[in-house]
Amino acid sequence: MTQTALITGASSGIGFRIAEQLAAREYDIVGVGASERILELPKRLPGVSVMPLRADLTDRNQVDGLWRQFEQMNRSLDVAVLNAGASLGGAFIDTDLEDELRLLALNVTSQVILAKHIARAMAGRRSGRILITTSMSATTPTPYESIYGPTRAFMYSFAQGLREEMREHDVSVTALLPGATATEFHDRAGMQKTKFGDNSWKNDPELVAKLGVDALFEGRDHVIGGDRRTRWSAFRNKLSPEQVKARRFARDSNPNEPA
Ligand SMILES: NC(=O)c1ccc[n+]([C@@H]2O[C@H](COP(=O)([O-])OP(=O)(O)OC[C@H]3O[C@@H](n4cnc5c(N)ncnc54)[C@H](OP(=O)(O)O)[C@@H]3O)[C@@H](O)[C@H]2O)c1
């Protein structure tokens, strides 16, 4: 029987690569994106059935509408990937509060709402796999991206707790923690003037997606998304005091420090 994967943020970056890998495993894809380009997804993923859904996940009505549309498709939900996310660079005293509230709505609130529907649907069938893209930023304070890191820490902790609850329902939950990855992400966050403005040193989104999808099917609790240097940073973050990590992060994220 055909299996279905629902993926948010499937139009670009890590989410698109995850969609590609799940398509290669013969999953039909329901791909969600905010802009019109999600409508191109069927062309970009030939060979499987692809249903694009456009929704701005900062808007509660559109999050609910997205789930209703998924239900109307009358498909079993075998894999769900909560991946859509964004950041906002700059000093907290300068950034716009409304932008930050939208960031919280996208990175946290929409994910909790979708996770509620997904977890209930999968528990009802006693089967399913959930992948949540968080970040290495869950393991460090993130000055000059001061709201972003805490949203990823929330999702990492949420994934670990939900995983334990869902065990009795035969549903697995895996967290993917990418290191810096070469996508549109930092450009969209307005971080061009920082070390993150340059994509040349970052992880390949295809590698990050592969690590996430492999961990999902292995039923692992989490995986670091990146190369050896990224795994080393994850290990170092476990051992370092918060103040040290905050100072280190600021060197790379402060737009007023030379990159
Ligand atoms: N890139 C990194 O360095 C990095 C590192 C660690 C973790 N991550 C995490 O990886 C995930 C994916 O990021 P990425 O690097 O692949 O970024 P990306 O290339 O900017 O892709 C973001 C995706 O999310 C969608 N999206 C953005 N705002 C949305 C909204 N309001 N409603 C619905 N969809 C929306 C975008 O759709 P549209 O294009 O249509 O707007 C796009 O498909 C995020 O959760 C991020 O926190 C990224």
Side-chain angles (χ1 to χ4, degrees):
M1 203 182 77
T2 316
Q3 307 212 79
T4 304
L6 171 71
I7 305 157
T8 66
S11 58
S12 80
I14 298 167
F16 173 68
R17 296 297 178 184
I18 290 174
E20 209 172 41
Q21 306 232 353
L22 290 170
R25 290 175 186 248
E26 298 185 348
Y27 279 77
D28 283 351
I29 304 294
V30 179
V32 182
S35 67
E36 259 189 5
R37 65 182 171 166
I38 193 66
L39 305 177
E40 302 292 313
L41 198 62
K43 266 195 254 163
R44 297 171 73 195
L45 296 175
V48 293
S49 171
V50 179
M51 289 133 284
L53 292 178
R54 190 173 172 193
D56 177 355
L57 299 178
T58 63
D59 176 348
R60 169 81 201 257
N61 289 330
Q62 295 194 40
V63 179
D64 292 338
L66 160 66
W67 184 254
R68 274 196 304 275
Q69 285 185 69
F70 178 76
E71 280 187 321
Q72 281 162 9
M73 290 178 182
N74 226 358
R75 285 176 166 265
S76 68
L77 182 55
D78 302 289
V79 166
V81 184
L82 295 176
N83 165 82
S87 185
L88 180 64
F92 185 65
I93 56 168
D94 296 333
T95 45
D96 184 89
L97 181 60
E98 292 307 316
D99 288 343
E100 268 145 4
L101 296 179
R102 271 192 294 277
L103 189 67
L104 287 165
L106 173 63
N107 286 12
V108 177
T109 311
S110 79
Q111 316 251 24
V112 172
I113 297 167
L114 289 175
K116 178 76 84 184
H117 293 304
I118 290 163
R120 284 178 174 164
M122 288 182 173
R125 295 176 48 231
R126 297 201 66 79
S127 133
R129 298 176 188 277
I130 301 172
L131 181 65
I132 297 181
T133 310
T134 76
S135 172
M136 282 272 293
S137 292
T139 67
T140 174
T142 57
Y144 303 100
E145 249 186 312
S146 55
I147 301 304
Y148 174 70
T151 70
R152 305 298 74 183
F154 179 102
M155 289 310 298
Y156 180 51
S157 179
F158 173 69
Q160 292 285 1
L162 184 62
R163 174 185 173 81
E164 178 59 21
E165 287 188 35
M166 295 306 283
R167 270 183 340 123
E168 67 172 284
H169 303 289
D170 295 329
V171 173
S172 74
V173 181
T174 300
L176 167 63
L177 282 69
T181 304
T183 69
E184 300 168 8
F185 181 79
H186 291 106
D187 198 37
R188 294 174 119 187
M191 297 181 71
Q192 294 85 352
K193 285 192 187 148
T194 71
K195 185 182 173 194
F196 294 104
D198 171 14
N199 263 355
S200 66
W201 60 274
K202 297 181 195 167
N203 288 293
D204 178 351
E206 203 170 335
L207 168 72
V208 172
K210 182 177 181 338
L211 290 164
V213 170
D214 287 350
L216 172 77
F217 286 105
E218 285 159 15
R220 290 174 60 184
D221 73 307
H222 81 283
V223 65
I224 302 300
D227 57 13
R228 231 153 80 118
R229 197 178 39 167
T230 305
R231 291 197 303 278
W232 160 246
S233 300
F235 176 68
R236 194 175 56 170
N237 278 358
K238 271 196 186 156
L239 306 178
S240 305
E242 299 304 300
Q243 286 181 60
V244 171
K245 290 188 282 190
R247 191 69 53 84
R248 193 188 291 141
F249 195 93
R251 279 199 293 271
D252 294 341
S253 60
N254 186 342
N256 299 317
E257 290 281 326

